[in-house]
Amino acid sequence: QHIIEIVKALRYKKNGYFWINDYKPTMIMHPFKSSLDGKDLSKFKDPNGVYLFNEMVNTVKKSGEGFVKY
């Protein structure tokens, strides 16, 4: 919980922030939309129809790290 609170407060550049999701993917912590916390993100699509959070999970499972543009 302590690490979650630290990540929740982190910011970068002007409007950048971090969130935490797991491999299911379930939102663990979103700093501005706490209503997402605990929600299944596997069916969430971006405006282009990409299952964004599934892409993030697949990237990390494949490479151990990475970036997904959205």
Side-chain angles (χ1 to χ4, degrees):
Q1 187 61 41
H2 183 66
I3 298 300
I4 290 172
E5 293 304 318
I6 290 170
V7 173
K8 190 174 195 173
L10 290 175
R11 300 291 180 270
Y12 63 93
K13 295 194 179 183
K14 193 171 188 177
N15 298 313
Y17 60 90
F18 299 92
W19 71 86
I20 302 170
N21 61 268
D22 65 13
Y23 284 141
K24 290 182 183 178
T26 300
M27 181 64 72
I28 304 300
M29 181 281 300
H30 193 286
F32 302 120
K33 294 183 181 180
S34 60
S35 61
L36 292 174
D37 295 355
K39 301 284 180 163
D40 178 4
L41 304 170
S42 63
K43 304 295 184 214
F44 180 85
K45 289 192 242 182
D46 73 6
N48 297 316
V50 175
Y51 291 95
L52 184 61
F53 292 97
N54 293 331
E55 288 293 317
M56 292 176 189
V57 168
N58 292 336
T59 297
V60 172
K61 282 183 175 179
K62 180 179 175 186
S63 304
E65 63 183 354
F67 294 93
V68 175
K69 291 185 179 186
Y70 64 96

